[in-house]
Every structure is written in C-alpha cells, then in structure tokens.
C-alpha cells in the first residue's frame, strides 16, 4: 500500500500538478490496474493524516482516535499504556514577570531551536506527583506524556498566537492541576538552563517555555495482526505516521536517508518496501512531501516531486502480480490553492493479476473516476485487496 500523502489537488486554471507532470510509471500503474476514487473517511470530511491512515488500515477513527498527542508520542518512540495522556509540545520563548501564566509568548518556536536534547534531559528531572516523560521530536517540537488513567478533557496551554499569554490548562481538575504545575516547573528549569544562557550570548531567543496542545489518551486497541491475521510493516520518516503504525502494533522502519520531506531518498524507501514483503504480509509505504508542497501552495514544486517519485516508481511494477497486490493512493487531498487538507476524494489504483482492468490509462484526478472501482471508502480498501488475494472468508453460507 503506497500512500502518496496529500497528492491529489484541485484544478488551477483547469490543471492539477498530476495533469502537468510527466509521470510514465504512475500512468502505467493506472493502465495496469483497476482505478477509482476514495473518501478516506467519508464524503465531505476533511481528514487528518492520522485519522485517514487509521481508516486505511481498517480502524474506524471515530472509534479509535483519541487526539494527536498519543499518536505523536508513539511516533517518537514512547511506549504508552491505556490511560496515559500525551501532548504535543513546542519549545517557545516567553517574556514578562510573574508565573508562566502571566507571561506573553514572543516566539512559538524559540527561533526554531534544534539543540533540545539537554533541555529535554533537564525537564525529565522535574518532580511531579505523577510519572511523566518528555521526549524530543523534530526541531523545536517535543512530546509530553503523563502516566495514569486520564481523559482528554483538558485544554491546551499553547495560545497558538504570538503576543498572547500562556494559557492555564483547564478541564479535568486532577490532571489539569498537574499539567499547570509542570508548566511552571518547566519554565523555571528552562529559564536558568545553561543552553539558554549560551543562546542569549549568541543573540538567539531563549527556549524558556514548553507549550502544550493536542491532548490524546492511549486506548486499548486490537493489533493489526489480531484483526487480520496478517503482519504489518510501516515505512515512513514522519512521526505521526510511525505513531499510527505503532498504535496498531505494526513494525516500523525508517531507511537511513528517508527524511519525510522533498529531499527524501525515494529509491531507498521503495527498496525497503519491496524487501519488507519477504517478511511482512502488508507493507504501508508512506511518502510525505506531496502534502508539504501542498501546504506551501507550491504548484511547480508538487509537479517536480511527482516527476521525481515517478522516476523511481518503475520498481513497483516489477512486483509479481500473481502473488502481490499493489495499491497506490493517498490519505487526503492537499490542494495548492487551499494550502491545507480538503475532502476532495483521492485517487486509487489497485494492481493484481486477477483485477478487472478498466480503460483508465492516466493517473490523475479527472481520469480515476472513470475507472471500475468507482467511489469507495477508506475502510473498504484493505478488504478489497484481501479479497483479490483470496484471503477473506465468505460472509454467510
Ligand atoms: Zn496526510
Ligand atoms: Zn498535511
């Protein structure tokens, strides 16, 4: 299952990046397969990458999704138990007098600080009434987990706008008070940390606060293997997608030069996916940069990355389609005109020796709807593939 994150687009002067790009291999995939469009969650619902990936793996996000924090925490490698509460966090710069909640955010990313290892180490030494863990994520980002049996009924402390005061955590009293205590103690530890003294000498903003958002609680989830009797491997460099993989207890692999952006080593990722089929039943290969370029509203950039991906995609066509099923699709559209995810259905091509091939010969938003798959839901995708492979039981007699 190849997920081209945020690839599909809306027309700009009648054209989308996919209609402009030269992409002989993606077109070959469309030609060899059965094609259609797909609402990864439901028509008109704008999917997040986390909820849509859950749906594509057959997990109803309405039932299982409990907020981004938990998925992100799993993605950076923290082990979670049911009931643990996780937040996404940003190192930020705050100024003013009094407690952390009297101070104003002047930079939500603390000058896009990268060297947070020592700060994270110091934060983990804080004394709190519950067990907790802070972990570094990419750049200025981190994850904070409070261990216990909590609900997600707690608010963010990140005001999300520069010039606003740090927010007090509200909601479930028991945990909100602990979060607020953490906020104050974290500020004190960071304010006097030598890294920040050095940053100040170099004229850089102090990373003197941790802003929390996106509370999520870990849930009891049946593993992919329990559900389907098949092993799962997820190949991605993006914490959120790795988190979805760990959420359903799949195996995760990130090739050394996979970056989760447009500089990624596509060849290494495709090779890793094909190699993984020797030991895993289902392999999800996630390629992120299409989405990033959509968020950046970069039409030409998207065209260029499609062509770059395509130059490696011939390897996918070397699969033995009498034994393997290849799905090429996306988790949602990220149109350059919008700069964010939309509910426009995504393109799906499914390849297998026994598939009923249709007349679609071009991989794009306008041709895919003419294919034999018509319009499906994300929750049905895996079942369709398993049926082609004769891996499902009959329903009824
Ligand atoms: Zn996405
Ligand atoms: Zn996105």
């Amino acid at each position: 299952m190849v997920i081209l994150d945020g690839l599909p687009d809306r027309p700009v002067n009648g054209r989308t990046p996919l209609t402009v790009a030269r992409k002989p291999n993606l077109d070959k995939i469309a030609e060899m397969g059965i094609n259609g469009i797909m609402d990864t969650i439901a028509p008109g619902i704008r999917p997040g990458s986390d909820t849509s990936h859950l749906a594509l793996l057959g997990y109803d996000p309405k039932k299982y999704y409990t907020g981004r924090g938990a998925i992100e925490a799993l993605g950076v490698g923290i082990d979670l138990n049911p009931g643990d509460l996780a937040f996404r966090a940003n190192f930020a710069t705050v100024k003013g007098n009094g407690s952390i909640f009297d101070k104003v955010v002047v930079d939500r990313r603390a000058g896009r600080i990268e060297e947070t290892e020592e700060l994270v180490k110091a934060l983990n030494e804080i004394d709190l009434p519950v067990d907790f863990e802070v972990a570094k994520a990419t750049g200025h980002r981190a994850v904070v987990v409070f261990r216990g049996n909590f609900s997600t009924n707690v608010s963010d402390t990140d005001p999300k706008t520069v010039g606003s005061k740090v927010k007090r955590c509200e909601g479930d009293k028991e945990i909100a008070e602990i979060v607020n205590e953490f906020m104050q103690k974290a500020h004190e530890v960071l304010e006097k940390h030598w890294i920040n003294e050095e940053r100040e000498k170099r004229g850089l903003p102090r990373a003197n606060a941790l802003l929390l958002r996106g509370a999520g609680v870990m849930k009891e989830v049946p593993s992919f293997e329990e559900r389907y009797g098949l092993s799962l491997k997820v190949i991605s460099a993006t914490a959120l997608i790795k988190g979805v993989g760990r959420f359903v207890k799949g195996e995760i692999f990130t090739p050394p030069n996979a970056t989760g952006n447009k500089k990624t080593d596509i060849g290494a990722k495709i090779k890793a996916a094909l190699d993984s089929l020797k030991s895993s039943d289902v392999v999800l290969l996630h390629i992120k940069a299409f989405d990033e370029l959509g968020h950046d509203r970069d039409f030409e950039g998207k065209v260029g990355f499609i062509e770059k991906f395509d130059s490696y995609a011939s390897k996918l066509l070397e699969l033995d389609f009498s034994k393997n099923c290849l799905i090429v699709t996306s988790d949602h559209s990220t149109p350059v005109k919008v700069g964010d995810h939309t509910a426009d259905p995504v393109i799906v091509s499914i390849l297998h020796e026994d598939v009923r091939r249709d007349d679609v010969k071009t991989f794009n938003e306008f041709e895919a709807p003419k294919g034999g798959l018509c319009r499906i839901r994300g929750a049905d995708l895996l079942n369709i593939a398993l049926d082609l492979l004769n891996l499902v039981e009959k329903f009824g007699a």
Side-chain angles (χ1 to χ4, degrees):
M1 189 187 289
V2 181
I3 311 289
L4 308 175
D5 197 318
L7 169 63
D9 218 293
R10 287 181 180 175
V12 179
N13 300 322
R15 306 178 320 162
T16 63
L18 273 172
T19 64
V20 172
R22 214 186 82 77
K23 45 168 182 49
N25 291 309
L26 278 169
D27 290 341
K28 186 89 188 149
I29 285 169
E31 188 181 341
M32 285 172 66
I34 185 168
N35 301 275
I37 54 175
M38 175 169 70
D39 301 289
T40 47
I41 297 178
I45 303 295
R46 292 188 161 185
S49 293
D50 42 13
T51 48
S52 55
H53 273 79
L54 278 175
L56 294 176
L57 292 172
Y59 289 76
D60 180 356
K62 288 207 181 73
K63 185 167 169 196
Y64 291 106
Y65 186 65
T66 58
R68 183 161 176 170
I71 307 264
E72 196 93 19
L74 290 166
V76 300
I78 299 183
D79 290 318
L80 293 183
N81 296 313
D84 288 349
L85 175 69
F87 285 93
R88 305 172 70 205
N90 270 11
F91 281 95
T93 312
V94 298
K95 281 210 169 107
N97 298 315
S99 86
I100 179 74
F101 303 109
D102 298 313
K103 302 201 176 179
V104 166
V105 177
V106 292
D107 185 342
R108 282 189 68 242
R109 300 182 181 88
R112 291 196 172 270
I113 183 171
E114 294 274 346
E115 70 275 22
T116 61
E117 291 85 356
E118 291 297 324
L119 299 177
V120 165
K121 216 185 268 177
L123 288 169
N124 278 308
E125 301 295 313
I126 292 174
D127 196 28
L128 280 189
V130 296
D131 282 345
F132 75 99
E133 188 173 341
V134 183
K136 180 180 165 53
T138 52
H140 58 280
R141 299 182 196 89
V143 169
V144 184
V145 174
F146 298 94
R147 308 271 183 205
N149 195 9
F150 300 117
S151 80
T152 48
N153 180 24
V154 281
S155 62
D156 297 346
T157 63
D158 185 349
K160 300 198 180 84
T161 48
V162 168
S164 302
K165 278 188 183 171
V166 176
K167 285 180 156 174
R168 214 172 257 286
C169 179
E170 322 241 14
D172 260 353
K173 254 225 162 80
E174 185 199 357
I175 180 64
E177 275 171 16
I178 294 167
V179 171
N180 288 331
E181 183 178 339
F182 172 79
M183 287 296 296
Q184 175 62 28
K185 287 184 171 168
H187 175 51
E188 288 164 11
V189 164
L190 293 171
E191 189 71 284
K192 58 174 194 247
H193 199 281
W194 62 268
I195 292 253
N196 277 325
E197 302 300 328
E198 288 215 329
R199 284 178 70 80
E200 187 139 320
K201 275 183 211 146
R202 282 153 59 205
L204 297 169
R206 301 171 77 87
N208 60 0
L210 208 53
L211 303 176
L212 310 183
R213 66 199 151 99
V217 165
M218 185 61 189
K219 269 198 176 180
E220 200 80 65
V221 183
S223 73
F224 188 86
E225 189 131 19
E226 278 159 20
R227 263 189 103 131
Y228 293 103
L230 299 168
S231 58
L232 169 70
K233 188 147 169 184
V234 172
I235 296 173
S236 175
T238 305
L240 194 65
I241 306 305
K242 292 196 269 186
V244 171
R246 289 193 73 210
F247 192 70
V248 303
K249 300 179 187 79
E251 204 185 319
I252 312 297
F253 180 64
T254 306
N257 294 325
T259 57
N261 61 32
K262 62 189 172 193
K263 297 195 187 86
T264 197
D265 187 342
I266 298 170
K269 284 182 95 169
I270 291 180
K271 184 175 185 302
L274 296 176
D275 289 348
S276 297
L277 285 170
K278 291 179 195 128
S279 53
S280 302
D281 300 315
V282 178
V283 177
L284 188 156
L285 169 61
H286 171 250
I287 310 275
K288 173 73 176 166
F290 308 100
D291 176 60
E292 189 180 84
L293 292 158
H295 283 286
D296 292 345
R297 301 171 185 261
D298 184 352
F299 190 101
E300 289 308 320
K302 220 168 165 181
V303 171
F305 193 74
I306 291 165
E307 293 184 343
K308 184 178 170 190
F309 173 79
D310 193 84
S311 68
Y312 294 96
S314 61
K315 285 277 169 218
L316 295 170
L317 290 163
E318 290 171 13
L319 277 169
D320 176 355
F321 290 110
S322 68
K323 296 193 186 76
N324 296 286
C325 179
L326 170 70
I327 300 170
V328 179
T329 188
S330 300
D331 53 347
H332 52 77
S333 300
T334 310
V336 292
K337 233 176 143 173
V338 180
D340 207 342
H341 307 180
T342 64
D344 299 276
V346 302
I347 301 162
V348 196
S349 298
I350 303 179
L351 279 71
H352 181 267
E353 190 180 64
D354 297 339
V355 90
R356 295 177 190 161
R357 285 171 68 172
D358 52 37
D359 293 334
V360 176
K361 292 184 170 55
T362 312
F363 190 94
N364 71 38
E365 297 87 346
F366 305 99
E367 292 301 309
K370 300 174 188 165
L373 264 183
C374 304
R375 186 168 183 158
I376 62 170
R377 293 184 318 156
D380 298 324
L381 183 63
L382 208 51
N383 289 336
I384 292 171
L386 298 182
D387 173 55
L388 275 168
L389 293 161
N390 301 318
L391 289 172
V392 283
E393 302 267 316
K394 183 158 57 180
F395 175 52

